[in-house]
Amino acid sequence: MTAEDTINDMRMRATKHLAEAGSREEIIAWERAFLGPKGELTLFLRRLASLPVDERPTAGRGGNALKTELTEAWNARHAALVAGDLEQRLATDAVDVTLPGRPPILGAAHPVSQMIDELSEIFALLGFQTVFGPEVETAHYNFDVLNIPKDHPARDVWDTFYVDLPGEIVLRTHTSPMQGRVMEQTQPPVRVVVPGRVYRYEAQDASHEWMLHQLEGLAVDRAITMADLKGTLSEMARQLFGSERRTRFRCDFFPFVEPGVDFAVDCAICGGAGCRVCKGSGWLEMGGAGMVHPNVLRAVGYDPDVYSGFAFGLGIERLTMMRSGVDDVRAFAGNDLRFLRQFARAA
Ligand code: FA5
């Protein structure tokens, strides 16, 4: 077989195989077989020097012409395959832009956050500024400043989560520690409310949670009286619940107020008839309150002969329960979207 015959034979096979190659893998294998470093045509060109001298020029010209021819054929076939792939992908992966979109799921403020906002607005109109304080608190502010010295039995009233072993750092058991923090940094007149989370090592039931929210209130000035306290809380209740709901103040004890009261509204769940939420009493305690104890005023450097004040601490979940008729406080931290969606308001 002459070199020319070899070239013609190679051209015939290569052209036939390339026409039959239907995938990218197959044309890559074809390229390797004919044009790659160990491909048939490459080896043929490398062997030119071993041919008889008179055959070399024809074989060289013919071999190089075939190389150009096959390279062009491969490029064209490759381009056609890529275009075919693309067309197929466009046909199968097509996006139907006329389909309606999926509506985004919109979140809404938690009912407790909504109540905090609403209370802040009500108290702002009564002249109170909203401030915030730390949830991890020192026993000093949580107890000592509030006239609850170490080893005093009153500390047991607040079932405390201690963060350290000596018991100097606690998860605040109420928002009252902010009384000391605010008064130490401000001179009277003081009028603040402090919303936030508090923690108690307490068994859960329909009206008790171990993590709850309170709103502390504090007003200190010359000649503040119990009537100011009653007027402030009654107005808050009127704005929140309307004027039909009844409120009640009864004597209570808290070491940091004197006198102290508990503040209740008639139970919205049973209308005052008695149920498991109000434990059959017809009333649900919303908060504790009273006139700031002279020892607390002294502890922050205020003169109790010049200044007097009132303070209160309201349970925010309880207020929300009474306003919306929720009969179990555990629902607020239960993360059940069906419950939470009922409170969603348009932004
Ligand atoms: C206090 O925490 C006092 N710091 C309130 C206070 C402030 C009194 C200023 C005087 C002056 P008490 O432990 O009663 O008080 O809690 C206040 C309110 O928080 C309760 O009336 C109730 O509404 C709410 N609360 C208390 N414990 C729970 C609980 N475990 N789950 C849900 N709400 C609670």
Side-chain angles (χ1 to χ4, degrees):
M1 209 193 241
T2 63
E4 210 177 336
D5 292 338
T6 308
I7 289 170
N8 285 337
D9 174 58
M10 216 186 305
R11 173 181 289 110
M12 221 174 59
R13 282 181 295 109
T15 314
K16 179 168 178 281
H17 289 171
L18 187 60
E20 286 166 3
S23 68
R24 261 207 252 194
E25 289 73 32
E26 280 172 352
I27 65 162
I28 285 168
W30 179 92
E31 188 197 24
R32 203 176 305 125
F34 290 98
L35 299 171
K38 288 186 185 151
E40 200 177 327
L41 181 55
T42 314
L43 294 180
F44 172 82
L45 290 171
R46 236 183 258 155
R47 277 199 309 270
L48 283 180
S50 62
L51 292 178
V53 178
D54 56 335
E55 278 193 39
R56 282 183 209 163
T58 332
R61 260 194 314 276
N64 280 318
L66 181 59
K67 188 174 179 185
T68 312
E69 197 182 310
L70 292 187
T71 305
E72 280 169 5
W74 188 87
N75 285 341
R77 187 84 188 101
H78 181 256
L81 271 178
V82 169
D85 273 3
L86 187 64
E87 245 170 59
Q88 196 181 348
R89 222 173 321 136
L90 283 176
T92 53
D93 296 357
V95 176
D96 182 352
V97 291
T98 62
L99 281 176
R102 291 195 190 104
I105 298 170
L106 287 183
H110 190 276
V112 165
S113 305
Q114 291 183 27
M115 180 55 85
I116 290 175
D117 290 347
E118 201 170 331
L119 287 169
S120 298
E121 276 171 33
I122 291 174
F123 282 108
L125 293 174
L126 295 171
F128 289 77
Q129 185 191 350
T130 300
V131 296
F132 298 90
E135 291 174 28
V136 179
E137 185 53 281
T138 60
H140 174 74
Y141 285 110
N142 199 79
F143 295 122
D144 300 344
V145 176
L146 293 170
N147 198 29
I148 317 171
K150 260 195 192 64
D151 305 321
H152 191 283
R155 281 204 186 192
D156 296 342
V157 175
W158 286 277
D159 308 284
T160 310
F161 283 113
Y162 287 94
V163 173
D164 65 339
L165 261 183
E168 292 306 326
I169 309 288
V170 302
L171 294 185
R172 67 178 175 189
T173 56
H174 49 178
T175 40
S176 300
M178 277 302 282
Q179 290 186 27
R181 287 185 178 273
V182 168
M183 286 192 279
E184 273 181 1
Q185 288 177 12
T186 332
Q187 283 307 303
V190 172
R191 267 183 189 73
V192 291
V193 285
V194 189
R197 284 198 189 100
V198 310
Y199 303 83
R200 296 189 181 181
Y201 186 57
E202 200 167 352
Q204 291 171 297
D205 63 26
S207 52
H208 291 87
E209 258 288 10
W210 62 269
M211 188 274 287
L212 57 136
H213 293 75
Q214 289 189 338
L215 180 112
E216 192 78 7
L218 174 71
V220 184
D221 205 342
R222 292 168 195 267
I224 290 224
T225 68
M226 193 80 181
D228 297 313
L229 169 62
K230 287 186 75 176
T232 303
L233 287 182
S234 302
E235 176 58 16
M236 181 276 304
R238 195 183 66 79
Q239 295 219 23
L240 213 52
F241 302 123
S243 34
E244 286 80 46
R245 297 292 289 287
R246 290 178 303 149
T247 54
R248 180 181 81 175
F249 292 87
R250 283 193 317 182
C251 285
D252 200 354
F253 171 74
F254 299 95
F256 34 95
V257 287
E258 181 57 38
V261 290
D262 88 45
F263 169 65
V265 296
D266 58 341
C267 180
I269 311 297
C270 59
C275 64
R276 71 179 181 131
V277 178
C278 61
K279 302 214 162 67
S281 72
W283 295 91
L284 196 67
E285 188 189 306
M286 295 291 110
M291 300 304 292
V292 181
H293 198 290
N295 286 351
V296 177
L297 295 175
R298 267 186 222 106
V300 297
Y302 286 7
D303 182 350
D305 293 327
V306 178
Y307 296 110
S308 57
F310 67 73
F312 55 82
L314 303 169
I316 293 180
E317 282 83 355
R318 296 256 182 104
L319 290 171
T320 313
M321 287 168 79
M322 286 303 99
R323 225 262 296 263
S324 306
V326 177
D327 66 358
D328 197 321
V329 70
R330 290 167 290 196
F332 292 106
N335 277 340
D336 185 337
L337 283 180
R338 290 168 305 175
F339 169 74
L340 296 172
R341 281 205 183 105
Q342 299 176 75
F343 295 86
R345 289 192 299 216

